[in-house]
Amino acid sequence: MGMKNYPPEFKRDAVALYESRPGATIAGIAADLGISAETLRNWIRAARAERGEPGR
């Protein structure tokens, strides 16, 4: 399966949705959005790195 290109706004919104829901799981949010958990996990890591947050 080929890689999909998602608009930057979608990526930002997906990360914001995950971060705004305490107790939410990456897998749950990803399933709601129709993307893989690994894709969302990568976007979260990238967003945290952009903000200079330490990795978890």
Side-chain angles (χ1 to χ4, degrees):
M1 184 157 111
M3 288 183 25
K4 294 182 181 177
N5 264 336
Y6 295 96
E9 300 83 18
F10 181 78
K11 294 177 183 183
R12 279 192 303 269
D13 289 347
V15 171
L17 179 62
Y18 169 73
E19 291 178 340
S20 71
R21 294 191 176 170
T25 64
I26 290 174
I29 298 293
D32 289 348
L33 296 174
I35 60 175
S36 77
E38 191 59 30
T39 295
L40 180 55
R41 188 173 290 109
N42 288 334
W43 295 349
I44 292 166
R45 284 185 192 131
R48 288 177 176 165
E50 253 182 44
R51 295 188 300 244
E53 296 178 16
R56 292 189 213 175

